[in-house]
Structures are given as C-alpha cells and as structure tokens.
Amino acid sequence: MTAVTSSLSDDQRAILALWYEVNASLSAYHKLITSFGYPQLAWQAKVEAWKQLGIHHTHLKRHEQPEQTLANIDKIQQALIEGRYGLLFADDADYPAQLSQIYDPPPLLFYRGNSARLHQAQIAIVGSRKPTAHAQKITFDMAQYLAQAGYIVTSGLAMGVDKRAHLGALAQADPDYQGRTVGVMGTGIDVNYPNHRDQLFTQIIEQGGCIISELLPHTQPHKHTFPRRNRLVAGLSLATIVTEATIKSGSLITARLTSEQGKQVFAIPSHIDNSNAEGCHHLIREGATLVYHPQQVLEDVNGQLDYNKGAYRTANATNFNSNHSTINQTSDAIETNSIKSTSQQSPSEIKPARSTVIVPEHLAAIYEQLDWHGQDLDALISATNLAPPQLIGQLMELELMGLISEQGGRYLRI
C-alpha cells in the first residue's frame, strides 16, 4: 500500500488546507476546485476571490488566517509520522475505487487499521440504536455468516445494530477470516464516540479491520455528521441490509442512499406490531428485497461480482438454519414484554415554524421549488432542468442542513 503515513507533498498539504478552511464542506471544497482547477491555486487565491464564489463567511475567516491552517496541517503530519492514523487522498491509487463512483466522494480519508479492507467486497448492515434482543442476535449471526463467506461487513460504529454487526464479523474462529469489518465514523478519526466505543475500535484494529473518517481530527459529533457517514457506508458497499429500524431511523437514510447509488437494499421483516421494525416494513413496501437468511443476500450480490466462488462457505446455511427456523417468525422468539408500546405521532402534527430560513445562494432555486406537501425527483427534474446527479447532490445538502426531508420518495420542506 502507498497510503500517506508520514510526509505530505505540497499538493496534499494544499488539499488539507482547503479541507480545514472550509470545515470539511463538500460543496465549498468542490466549488473551489472547480473554479481554480488545482488545490494549490485555490488555497493561494485571495479572500476576495473566494468571496466572489459565494463561499461562507466562516470559511473566509479561516482563509484569512493561514498561520492557523499551517499549524493544523503540521499537527496532522506529526500524527502521521507517529502512526496515530493514516491518510488517503482521492487521487491515490489506494483510495477505494467504489467511493470514487458516488456523487460526492470525499477528497481524503483518515484511517486506522488495515486499509486493504477498503478494497475488498463489502456489504453494509445497519439498523436501530436500540434493537430488540432478537434483532441483535439476527444481526450478529448475519454478519458472522457474511464474513465467513468472504465479505467485509461495513457499518457506522453506533450502538445497537451497528455494534452487533461489527462484533459478528469479528467473531471468527478461523484466523483467516478475522478482521473482516470496516467502521465509518461520524466524528474525527481520533474521537471515541460514544465514549465506550474505544474498546470496539481497539478490537477492530487489533483483529485486522479498518476504521475511517472523512472529517478532520478532533471533529466532535454533530447531527449533520452522521448522515454524511451514512453515504460513505452506502458508497463503500455493494448492498445494504437493514435488520431492524424504526420509521425515523437514520438507517433509512443509508438505505435510500444505497438505492440512489443503484445498489440493492435488503430488509428483514418482523411481526406487524413491532414498532421497532416499522422502518424495515416501510422499506419492503417501497421495493426493498425481503430476506430471512444471509444466503439469499449472497445469491443476489454474488451476481454483481467476478468473485472467487470458492471463498464462500455455503455449508454454513445448515448451521444458521439450526438456530433460526425463519427470521420472520420473530413473534415466537421475542417475549411479549420486550416489545414496547409507543404512542405514534399524528401525521398531521404541526412543527413550530422557523422564524427565518437562511438558504445558501446556490441552493435557493431548488429550495423554492419545494413545498410542505412534497415532490418527487421526476417533478423536480422537470421544474429545475438540473441533471439528476446535480439535483440529488443539492437535495442532500438541504437535507444535511435540516431544511428538507425525504418521505416515501418525495422531498418536502420542514
């Protein structure tokens, strides 16, 4: 591997400088690169030139303080020298090719552990932060099975389903199959969030897995950083499995992004009064593939790959079935008192109106086309004349800013 682990070239320092000064804003970064052509030219440009591009005033303020930028780059380089983490740039041969194919690939990735995992075939497993006991077991067993079949299990390092997915992938008796997991962080590479995740991070790294983040070191968790993480989970993977999720779960964002990237979404059903699985049932209604055994996932995903079929241990289907007659018969496996009865919010519940809504200039046109009833992509393409990738990118920006939401394939103001 030729990933950056110590010295940085002038171009790499310029990329880091831009990434720091725009505070990891994908739209601002790509606007600067598109306008100036090269990172060094963009970074050396005057503040006035940035201002004319409509760059946010907080980014301009950081651009006015190059000494602070250089000091931060020096700290990153020192961390690379000390081996605290590694760094991949988008133009490196070792940058994961599958991320290069998404609409808004990050210009760089910080990583800890075995970065070779990023180049292996991955399947994402996501779901609720508070799954039922049965869903935790199903997630663990699914991940263990997929790892034994030769795949890397990718997830978001959160509590609940994510954690069980990582642990299932790591639970391998055969040393050849250990470490088959990738964790995508919603914080800086050196931030343990939640606090007790340091044990999971250590286990992933020591067993040969990998942890990545597109965010700068020391970046703390924020409501906008986790949807960003979700797009990387989807982007790295050939498909996404949702094992249990509520209707408002962030896992549905990952599922939607997976679908928008032209990949398959799988969902595990449950009994109809399990509110914790309502998101999975919604996905199935919207066209996700219903599965109740990991072999069904492999049969669909293997068709996408020119992959070594000998790596798959299909004999494990018997062992899996000995523990699970069928996953969709969850009512027999969960005690009645483990299902929490929750009061559902009325769909017509009105949220307090925003006193002021500040929309970036480059997103104003698409925002004006949206209302509180919702419009689908076809209607928005017709109304804006934007190319689908550009439209989807702008919608994602508005969603990350908390100005719009997507419900049932329709985008609406919130």
Side-chain angles (χ1 to χ4, degrees):
M1 303 292 285
T2 59
V4 175
T5 55
S6 55
S7 61
L8 296 166
S9 68
D10 290 342
D11 282 342
Q12 290 169 343
R13 289 177 68 87
I15 292 169
L16 272 171
L18 292 177
W19 199 232
Y20 165 74
E21 291 183 353
V22 301
N23 195 28
S25 167
L26 287 159
S27 59
Y29 179 86
H30 290 300
K31 182 182 290 186
L32 289 167
I33 295 299
T34 300
S35 299
F36 293 99
Y38 297 96
Q40 290 194 61
L41 292 179
W43 188 45
Q44 293 166 3
K46 300 296 184 183
V47 173
E48 188 60 34
W50 280 33
K51 189 174 183 179
Q52 291 177 359
L53 293 175
I55 302 299
H56 196 273
H57 67 89
T58 58
H59 306 337
L60 299 178
K61 186 175 182 180
R62 279 188 288 270
H63 192 50
E64 291 174 335
Q65 301 172 333
E67 300 84 3
Q68 185 63 44
T69 300
L70 291 171
N72 277 279
I73 294 174
D74 289 341
K75 289 179 181 178
I76 290 173
Q77 176 145 335
Q78 184 60 35
L80 292 172
I81 292 172
E82 294 173 1
R84 282 183 270 161
Y85 49 74
L87 187 54
L88 295 167
F89 289 89
D91 58 354
D92 291 341
D94 295 325
Y95 186 88
Q98 59 271 41
L99 281 189
S100 299
Q101 298 170 11
I102 68 175
Y103 172 74
D104 49 359
L108 51 83
L109 288 173
F110 295 92
Y111 72 89
R112 294 166 61 193
N114 181 9
S115 62
R117 297 299 185 199
L118 301 174
H119 303 277
Q120 296 173 300
Q122 300 172 51
I123 295 176
I125 300 181
V126 297
S128 171
R129 293 174 184 266
K130 296 180 180 180
T132 60
H134 188 66
Q136 291 185 50
K137 179 166 179 55
I138 293 302
T139 300
F140 185 96
D141 292 346
M142 277 257 182
Q144 186 177 44
Y145 188 100
L146 294 173
Q148 289 174 355
Y151 281 95
I152 307 301
V153 175
T154 300
S155 198
L157 295 166
M159 298 174 64
V161 164
D162 287 15
K163 180 180 179 180
R164 299 302 294 173
H166 292 302
L167 291 176
L170 294 171
Q172 307 294 332
D174 188 337
D176 291 339
Y177 289 89
Q178 290 184 353
R180 292 179 175 268
T181 192
V182 168
V184 185
M185 302 178 69
T187 64
I189 193 68
D190 53 354
V191 176
N192 288 334
Y193 175 82
N195 292 335
H196 57 280
R197 281 293 85 90
D198 54 347
Q199 183 176 352
L200 177 60
F201 294 168
T202 300
Q203 185 176 353
I204 290 174
I205 294 167
E206 288 182 349
Q207 290 192 18
C210 186
I211 295 171
I212 66 168
S213 175
E214 67 177 326
L215 303 171
L216 290 159
H218 309 307
T219 299
Q220 296 299 311
H222 190 275
K223 64 180 181 179
H224 294 159
T225 61
F226 294 104
R228 291 183 60 153
R229 171 204 63 186
N230 293 348
R231 93 185 192 289
L232 297 185
V233 171
L236 285 166
S237 306
L238 292 166
T240 293
I241 305 170
V242 185
T243 57
E244 186 177 71
T246 64
I247 196 67
K248 293 185 177 181
S249 171
S251 303
L252 270 64
I253 296 178
T254 308
R256 175 170 56 81
L257 293 170
T258 300
S259 180
E260 289 177 354
Q261 292 170 12
K263 303 170 185 175
Q264 195 163 359
V265 177
F266 299 93
I268 296 178
S270 180
H271 47 83
I272 61 174
D273 58 352
N274 179 8
S275 60
N276 221 40
E278 190 176 355
C280 288
H281 297 155
H282 170 77
L283 289 173
I284 292 169
R285 276 183 56 86
E286 293 292 312
T289 302
L290 184 155
V291 291
Y292 51 86
H293 193 287
Q295 186 61 30
Q296 296 164 337
V297 177
L298 294 181
E299 288 170 358
D300 283 3
V301 173
N302 288 354
Q304 303 175 35
L305 292 171
D306 179 16
Y307 205 77
N308 180 9
K309 303 299 181 182
Y312 300 128
R313 298 184 174 183
T314 55
N316 286 314
T318 303
N319 296 331
F320 191 92
N321 278 325
S322 67
N323 295 323
H324 308 278
S325 57
T326 53
I327 290 177
N328 63 336
Q329 294 175 345
T330 54
S331 58
D332 297 332
I334 305 176
E335 295 183 4
T336 304
N337 60 8
S338 71
I339 305 171
K340 299 181 179 179
S341 59
T342 57
S343 57
Q344 296 184 348
Q345 290 183 328
S346 168
S348 60
E349 181 178 351
I350 300 174
K351 297 182 179 180
R354 298 173 183 266
S355 55
T356 58
V357 176
I358 301 175
V359 181
E361 184 177 352
H362 70 289
L363 301 177
I366 182 64
Y367 184 78
E368 289 302 318
Q369 293 294 330
L370 298 172
D371 52 31
W372 286 270
H373 301 288
Q375 297 187 52
D376 60 24
L377 281 176
D378 289 339
L380 290 172
I381 289 172
S382 177
T384 63
N385 292 321
L386 292 174
Q390 184 180 3
L391 175 62
I392 291 171
Q394 292 191 10
L395 289 169
M396 183 176 180
E397 283 191 61
L398 288 168
E399 191 170 2
L400 291 174
M401 294 173 67
L403 297 178
I404 68 170
S405 68
E406 185 272 345
Q407 297 180 11
R410 298 174 70 86
Y411 293 86
L412 60 154
R413 296 188 188 186
I414 56 176

